[in-house]
């Protein structure tokens, strides 16, 4: 029998993949993260919550290294982020030494509450935006 954290991840991921993400991708001002598929080489777009601070965009992955977009970043850290309807190129950095719970306190409240509630293995991600 799978561990409770694994069951939780499967349920949340299925809901996001089949219901929430397809809807959120259509919203014009939803923040989107575009990675390159590590196997396919195709663009993969994921709705995310986070905040731009200066020349960086910060977010917290709710399932850490098990998240597909994190696995894509590990293979190729070059990404694009759509913030307020505008695309930005950048380089993603996984920050396992950052305190993701403390980081969530600096990010938008609604998304942060969802990440805390549904997440099982939090991981901070910083995207350094190009020019």
């Amino acid at each position: 029998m799978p561990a409770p954290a694994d069951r939780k991840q499967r349920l949340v991921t299925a809901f996001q993949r089949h219901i929430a993400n397809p809807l959120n991708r259509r919203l014009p001002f939803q923040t989107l993260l575009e990675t390159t598929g590590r196997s396919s080489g195709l663009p993969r777009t994921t709705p995310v919550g986070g905040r731009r601070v200066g020349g960086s965009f910060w977010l917290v992955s709710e399932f850490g290294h098990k998240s597909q977009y994190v696995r894509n970043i590990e293979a190729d850290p070059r990404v694009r982020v759509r913030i307020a309807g505008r695309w930005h190129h950048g380089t993603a950095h996984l920050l396992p030494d950052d305190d993701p719970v403390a980081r969530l306190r600096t990010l938008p409240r609604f998304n942060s509450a969802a990440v805390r509630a549904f997440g099982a293995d939090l991981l901070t991600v910083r995207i350094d935006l190009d020019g």
Side-chain angles (χ1 to χ4, degrees), residues 51-58 79-83 87-93 126-131:
R51 174 169 283 142
R52 184 176 184 163
V53 179
S56 296
F57 183 82
W58 292 83
V79 300
R80 289 192 325 149
V81 184
R82 187 179 78 180
I83 305 167
W87 285 100
H88 303 269
H89 291 270
T91 303
H93 303 275
R126 183 188 76 231
I127 300 168
D128 295 332
L129 304 172
D130 298 340

Side-chain angles (χ1 to χ4, degrees), residues 10-23 25 68:
R10 280 202 315 271
L11 288 170
V12 171
T13 300
F15 172 77
Q16 289 172 335
R17 180 176 295 139
H18 299 293
I19 299 170
N21 289 356
L23 294 172
R25 279 189 199 101
Q68 296 302 313

Side-chain angles (χ1 to χ4, degrees), residues 49-120:
R51 174 169 283 142
R52 184 176 184 163
V53 179
S56 296
F57 183 82
W58 292 83
L59 65 110
V60 174
S61 168
E62 55 198 348
F63 296 112
H65 292 279
K66 291 183 179 180
S67 293
Q68 296 302 313
Y69 71 85
V70 169
R71 294 174 70 193
N72 288 342
I73 287 169
E74 289 174 322
D76 182 356
R78 294 171 299 161
V79 300
R80 289 192 325 149
V81 184
R82 187 179 78 180
I83 305 167
R86 184 168 172 253
W87 285 100
H88 303 269
H89 291 270
T91 303
H93 303 275
L94 306 177
L95 304 174
D97 294 331
D98 190 69
D99 180 349
V101 175
R103 181 67 56 192
L104 285 170
R105 288 193 284 272
T106 70
L107 301 178
R109 287 185 184 167
F110 180 75
N111 179 263
S112 293
V115 169
R116 275 192 300 273
F118 299 119

